[in-house]
Amino acid sequence: MDRRHLRWMIPAAGGVLAVVVSIVLVVQDGGNAACAAAPPVARDPVVENVRGGSASYYSTNRNGMCNLGAPSSDGYAAIGPAEWAGGAACGSYLAVTGPNGQTTPVQVVDQCPSCPAGKIDLSRAAFARIGSVSAGIIQITYGTLRDPALPGPLKVRAKGGSGYSSLSVVLDNHGNRLSTVELQAGAGWTALKHNADNTWTGPSGLTGPITLRVTDTAGHQVTVPGVALGSSAFQQTGTLMYSPTAASPSPSPSPSPSAPPSPSAVASPVGAAASAGAPVC
């Protein structure tokens, strides 16, 4: 098992706080079986599917294609269609390491339609924590954070009931990618359909409040009762998707691409004065 210590740059009140976090990367050696990893916990997240790429920066205070509203922090990202995966990546987190050796977490809130695989757009603040803004485009390594630290309990926006043709649900603060969202129907559960705009849609003619069951790709599952219908604003629930100290119920080895560039091998930004937002092929 290859254990790498990366230095995280995380925003804090009054400035930027450098926090050293242990990141566990499980590396597969040729055709041999991957090393077994200790169950990850939210306070010490695992970085999965680490790969090399490039990043530019942008800024927004508008609702992105994930329909999460204006970004709630300055650490956010837009990714290309291939990694967007039909909206499946919405609300999940990436760990991005830049040329200066620093690593920062960012939430996926938007799609970058012109970005090829391996190219991402970071918020300007996140970009500045891991590289020089004047470079415009920098070389990075990045991967998906498993069980990232949660900003708070689940937030839910549910449109339905009178005046709506169907139920439409958006969730935030879930940390990992979501696998299913289900609606309680009598003694059973009805699966909602996930769409590319990050809405989960279901039947019409509902009368609220409703109860949802939410499951993520790490195996965490929670039930969220008392969700009101018809509001265009997010509702703050009292339900955490997982405990900050609880291990994932179904840990799995982290795949590693063949010979990915390590954080220490990422050197200087590519090119000089590259224009922000320009795709790198």
Side-chain angles (χ1 to χ4, degrees):
M1 187 188 309
D2 179 13
R3 295 178 180 270
R4 300 179 186 175
H5 296 275
L6 306 181
R7 183 168 296 278
W8 291 74
M9 296 299 292
I10 302 175
V16 175
L17 175 65
V19 182
V20 178
V21 180
S22 263
I23 303 299
V24 181
L25 301 179
V26 182
V27 180
Q28 188 168 0
D29 180 16
N32 297 332
C35 299
V41 295
R43 65 186 176 190
D44 188 14
V46 171
V47 184
E48 301 179 311
N49 192 26
V50 179
R51 61 269 196 198
S54 62
S56 56
Y57 65 85
Y58 79 117
S59 296
T60 185
N61 59 1
R62 303 175 66 181
N63 184 47
M65 290 184 67
C66 284
N67 277 305
L68 299 177
S72 56
S73 77
D74 67 0
Y76 55 87
I79 59 179
E83 293 173 306
W84 175 261
C90 280
S92 63
Y93 286 77
L94 303 174
V96 188
T97 302
N100 64 8
Q102 307 297 331
T103 300
T104 190
V106 291
Q107 186 185 31
V108 176
V109 302
D110 208 351
Q111 183 187 154
C112 170
S114 63
C115 287
K119 166 66 168 58
I120 63 177
D121 274 350
L122 299 174
S123 63
R124 183 185 176 98
F127 188 100
R129 286 193 281 272
I130 64 170
S132 171
V133 171
S134 63
I137 298 177
I138 56 175
Q139 290 290 292
I140 59 169
T141 55
Y142 68 106
T144 302
L145 274 172
R146 184 187 180 102
D147 290 354
L150 297 172
L154 281 171
K155 296 194 298 183
V156 183
R157 185 176 65 213
K159 297 180 181 179
S162 178
Y164 293 90
S165 59
S166 64
L167 174 67
S168 177
V169 172
V170 179
L171 296 107
D172 196 6
N173 291 356
H174 45 81
N176 300 300
R177 294 188 181 200
L178 295 181
S179 57
T180 61
V181 176
E182 300 165 286
L183 171 71
Q184 188 173 39
W189 298 91
T190 298
L192 303 184
K193 177 186 177 182
H194 193 231
N195 304 289
D197 62 355
N198 195 37
T199 58
W200 296 82
T201 53
S204 59
L206 300 174
T207 56
I210 61 173
T211 297
L212 299 172
R213 185 167 68 182
V214 183
T215 308
D216 68 16
T217 55
H220 304 293
Q221 185 178 86
V222 295
T223 299
V224 187
V227 177
L229 296 176
S231 173
S232 60
F234 276 96
Q235 306 166 51
Q236 183 71 66
T237 75
T239 305
L240 280 168
M241 192 67 214
Y242 46 82
S243 166
T245 58
S248 295
S250 55
S252 59
S254 304
S256 176
S258 57
S262 67
S264 60
V266 179
S268 60
V270 174
S275 60
V280 174
C281 299

